[in-house]
């Protein structure tokens, strides 16, 4: 039985003051059990949010990290630094990072392994572009990305990995994938994982869908057999909407 997981990716939104306001608003809402909840905030808001989210069900996540513990890497943040402030999840290889910050399958793999070595749970993003989809390459693209990201990960470590399938054309566009299409691609990702880790381990991995998920459509994704939650951008920015997403995922 896979516990559903809803993760909000705030991207480059929210100051510390905004983040605290979000946490205060969440505290006023009724707690929702049975769904793991994560907020992946900008680095600057993480410490304040760690404190502000105390007493809530929400775990803290980062949106990126370097794979080294320390070193001359100006502007980077290491897994040790994230652990120190109570971060439990970290998004790795989001398509925006692949597109704008030269993230490659190789760096995604290094970061995934580094996160696991430091006790952080990676949310590894995979997904095809519109061009790749129209060329019939979806299975090949997500299969290659998944295999590359998980290369060298042990079966035991795989239990702490979350995969987020995010078709690039569905991110922030309002054009979400149909739940049936997302389910089909996620089934492909699971079968690719089974090739390297075995059926049992693959069956236990949580795989989220991401791309224009909202409170109004999350239930349709959750009704699918292979989808274990959502990675949500825009609709995770208000406490009200985030809680509705979590309720919809139950
Ligand atoms: O990480 C989240 C995704 O990029 C989806 O963003 P969105 O929900 O705003 O489409």
């Amino acid at each position: 039985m896979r516990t559903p997981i809803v993760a909000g990716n705030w991207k480059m939104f929210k100051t510390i003051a905004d983040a605290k306001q979000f946490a205060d608003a969440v505290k006023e809402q009724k707690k929702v059990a049975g769904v793991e909840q994560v907020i992946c905030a900008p680095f600057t808001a993480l410490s304040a949010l760690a404190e502000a989210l105390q007493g809530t069900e929400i775990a803290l996540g980062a949106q990126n990290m370097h794979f080294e513990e320390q070193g001359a890497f100006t502007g980077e943040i290491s897994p040790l630094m994230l652990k120190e402030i109570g971060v439990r999840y970290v998004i790795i290889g989001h398509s925006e990072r692949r597109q704008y910050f030269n993230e490659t399958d190789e760096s995604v793999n290094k970061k995934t392994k580094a996160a696991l070595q430091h006790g952080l749970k990676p949310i590894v993003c995979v997904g095809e572009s519109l061009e790749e989809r129209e060329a019939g390459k979806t299975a090949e693209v997500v299969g290659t990305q998944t295999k590359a990201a998980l290369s060298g990960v042990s079966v035991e470590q795989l239990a702490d990995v979350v995969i987020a399938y995010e078709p690039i054309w569905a991110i922030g566009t309002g054009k979400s994938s149909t739940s049936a299409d997302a389910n089909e691609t996620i089934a492909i990702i699971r079968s690719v994982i089974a090739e390297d880790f075995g059926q049992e381990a693959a069956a236990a991995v949580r795989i989220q869908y991401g791309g224009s998920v909202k409170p109004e459509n999350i239930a349709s994704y959750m009704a699918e057999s292979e989808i274990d939650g959502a990675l949500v951008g825009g609709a995770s920015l208000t406490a009200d909407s985030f809680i509705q997403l979590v309720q919809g995922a139950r």
Side-chain angles (χ1 to χ4, degrees):
M1 182 70 186
R2 302 185 294 258
T3 306
I5 174 165
V6 173
N9 174 11
W10 283 355
K11 306 193 179 184
M12 199 172 71
F13 291 97
K14 292 198 189 291
T15 61
I16 293 173
D18 296 336
K20 283 183 180 167
Q21 221 171 36
F22 177 97
D24 288 344
V26 161
K27 283 178 182 158
E28 284 169 18
Q29 308 260 1
K30 251 176 118 183
K31 285 189 182 175
V32 188
V35 179
E36 216 170 320
Q37 305 163 38
V38 185
I39 288 291
C40 300
F43 290 135
T44 48
L46 286 173
S47 272
L49 207 52
E51 202 181 315
L53 287 176
Q54 273 175 23
T56 73
E57 310 283 298
I58 302 176
L60 201 57
Q63 299 172 15
N64 178 39
M65 58 167 228
H66 198 278
F67 46 81
E68 296 288 356
E69 285 183 359
Q70 58 181 13
F73 300 106
T74 302
E76 291 292 316
I77 297 287
S78 85
L80 281 184
M81 295 167 183
L82 295 178
K83 278 288 282 187
E84 186 185 31
I85 55 170
V87 167
R88 288 176 41 211
Y89 286 86
V90 56
I91 297 173
I92 304 286
H94 190 281
S95 61
E96 287 152 13
R97 294 211 58 84
R98 293 182 192 250
Q99 186 179 353
Y100 305 127
F101 302 100
N102 302 321
E103 197 84 75
T104 62
D105 281 349
E106 192 189 350
S107 62
V108 169
N109 176 242
K110 283 184 178 168
K111 291 179 180 192
T112 301
K113 288 188 291 192
L116 290 165
Q117 275 156 16
H118 288 90
L120 293 165
K121 297 183 178 187
I123 300 177
V124 179
C125 300
V126 300
E128 82 286 2
S129 66
L130 186 58
E131 208 182 7
E132 290 163 338
R133 184 173 192 85
E134 286 173 348
K137 290 187 176 162
T138 300
E140 183 190 328
V141 169
V142 299
T144 303
Q145 289 176 339
T146 304
K147 274 186 181 279
L150 299 180
S151 168
V153 169
S154 70
V155 173
E156 292 71 37
Q157 287 176 322
L158 185 70
D160 284 333
V161 173
V162 176
I163 305 282
Y165 166 57
E166 298 205 317
I168 296 168
W169 48 271
I171 295 175
T173 58
K175 281 190 229 155
S176 49
S177 168
T178 66
S179 54
D181 278 356
N183 195 55
E184 195 180 310
T185 305
I186 288 176
I188 292 168
I189 294 169
R190 203 177 293 289
S191 68
V192 164
I193 297 174
E195 286 171 16
D196 292 339
F197 295 88
Q199 290 290 349
E200 198 182 328
V205 176
R206 291 181 296 175
I207 309 182
Q208 302 170 303
Y209 166 73
S212 298
V213 176
K214 302 178 188 66
E216 304 82 64
N217 63 14
I218 192 166
S220 71
Y221 294 106
M222 297 308 296
E224 298 287 348
S225 58
E226 298 293 335
I227 303 179
D228 304 314
L231 180 58
V232 188
S236 72
L237 289 170
T238 68
D240 204 31
S241 175
F242 182 72
I243 295 293
Q244 284 178 44
L245 286 162
V246 174
Q247 283 164 344
R250 218 170 13 178

